[in-house]
Short mmCIF file of all heavy atoms in Angstrom, two decimals:
data_model
loop_
_atom_site.label_atom_id
_atom_site.label_comp_id
_atom_site.label_asym_id
_atom_site.label_seq_id
_atom_site.Cartn_x
_atom_site.Cartn_y
_atom_site.Cartn_z
N ARG A 237 -5.76 8.84 15.11
CA ARG A 237 -4.78 8.28 14.18
C ARG A 237 -4.24 6.91 14.67
O ARG A 237 -3.47 6.82 15.62
CB ARG A 237 -3.54 9.23 14.15
CG ARG A 237 -3.87 10.69 13.74
CD ARG A 237 -4.17 10.71 12.25
NE ARG A 237 -4.44 12.02 11.84
CZ ARG A 237 -5.71 12.46 11.33
NH1 ARG A 237 -6.66 11.65 11.33
NH2 ARG A 237 -5.81 13.73 10.90
N THR A 238 -4.82 5.92 14.09
CA THR A 238 -4.53 4.54 14.57
C THR A 238 -3.53 3.76 13.67
O THR A 238 -3.01 2.76 14.09
CB THR A 238 -5.77 3.76 14.72
OG1 THR A 238 -6.46 3.69 13.55
CG2 THR A 238 -6.68 4.38 15.77
N GLN A 239 -3.33 4.23 12.40
CA GLN A 239 -2.55 3.48 11.47
C GLN A 239 -1.17 4.12 11.29
O GLN A 239 -1.05 5.30 10.92
CB GLN A 239 -3.24 3.44 10.09
CG GLN A 239 -4.62 2.83 10.20
CD GLN A 239 -4.62 1.38 10.56
OE1 GLN A 239 -4.04 0.51 9.91
NE2 GLN A 239 -5.28 1.07 11.72
N TRP A 240 -0.11 3.42 11.54
CA TRP A 240 1.20 3.97 11.61
C TRP A 240 2.23 3.03 10.84
O TRP A 240 1.95 1.85 10.69
CB TRP A 240 1.67 4.11 13.02
CG TRP A 240 0.83 5.09 13.79
CD1 TRP A 240 -0.30 4.75 14.42
CD2 TRP A 240 1.04 6.46 13.96
NE1 TRP A 240 -0.86 5.93 14.97
CE2 TRP A 240 -0.03 7.00 14.76
CE3 TRP A 240 2.08 7.40 13.55
CZ2 TRP A 240 -0.10 8.33 15.12
CZ3 TRP A 240 1.97 8.72 13.95
CH2 TRP A 240 0.90 9.13 14.68
N VAL A 241 3.33 3.67 10.47
CA VAL A 241 4.39 2.92 9.79
C VAL A 241 5.70 3.30 10.47
O VAL A 241 5.94 4.46 10.74
CB VAL A 241 4.50 3.24 8.32
CG1 VAL A 241 5.65 2.44 7.65
CG2 VAL A 241 3.18 3.16 7.59
N MET A 242 6.50 2.24 10.85
CA MET A 242 7.78 2.52 11.49
C MET A 242 8.88 2.55 10.39
O MET A 242 8.95 1.57 9.61
CB MET A 242 8.06 1.40 12.51
CG MET A 242 8.10 1.91 13.89
SD MET A 242 8.84 0.73 14.99
CE MET A 242 7.49 0.16 15.84
N LEU A 243 9.63 3.55 10.48
CA LEU A 243 10.65 3.74 9.45
C LEU A 243 12.04 3.83 10.08
O LEU A 243 12.22 4.52 11.16
CB LEU A 243 10.43 4.98 8.60
CG LEU A 243 9.06 5.11 7.94
CD1 LEU A 243 8.93 6.54 7.35
CD2 LEU A 243 8.99 4.15 6.79
N ASP A 244 13.03 3.23 9.50
CA ASP A 244 14.40 3.34 9.97
C ASP A 244 14.91 4.73 9.59
O ASP A 244 14.59 5.24 8.57
CB ASP A 244 15.28 2.27 9.40
CG ASP A 244 15.05 0.94 10.07
OD1 ASP A 244 14.72 0.92 11.29
OD2 ASP A 244 15.14 -0.08 9.40
N HIS A 245 15.71 5.23 10.47
CA HIS A 245 16.33 6.51 10.21
C HIS A 245 17.47 6.26 9.18
O HIS A 245 18.16 5.24 9.26
CB HIS A 245 16.94 7.05 11.52
CG HIS A 245 17.37 8.46 11.53
ND1 HIS A 245 18.37 8.97 12.26
CD2 HIS A 245 16.98 9.47 10.75
CE1 HIS A 245 18.53 10.25 12.02
NE2 HIS A 245 17.68 10.59 11.09
N ASP A 246 17.66 7.12 8.23
CA ASP A 246 18.55 6.78 7.15
C ASP A 246 20.01 7.03 7.50
O ASP A 246 20.91 6.75 6.74
CB ASP A 246 18.16 7.49 5.87
CG ASP A 246 17.99 9.00 6.02
OD1 ASP A 246 18.34 9.49 7.10
OD2 ASP A 246 17.52 9.65 5.03
N LEU A 247 20.28 7.56 8.69
CA LEU A 247 21.70 7.80 9.08
C LEU A 247 22.24 6.50 9.77
O LEU A 247 21.53 5.71 10.36
CB LEU A 247 21.78 8.98 10.08
CG LEU A 247 21.39 10.29 9.47
CD1 LEU A 247 21.27 11.32 10.63
CD2 LEU A 247 22.33 10.76 8.42
N GLU A 248 23.49 6.34 9.57
CA GLU A 248 24.19 5.07 10.05
C GLU A 248 24.11 4.96 11.55
O GLU A 248 24.24 5.97 12.27
CB GLU A 248 25.63 5.11 9.55
CG GLU A 248 26.13 3.74 9.20
CD GLU A 248 27.63 3.83 8.81
OE1 GLU A 248 27.92 4.82 7.95
OE2 GLU A 248 28.42 3.10 9.27
#
Side-chain angles (χ1 to χ4, degrees):
Chain A
R237 302 286 183 246
T238 57
Q239 304 295 300
W240 298 84
V241 183
M242 247 195 252
L243 303 169
D244 284 326
H245 192 207
D246 53 6
L247 297 169
E248 213 181 314

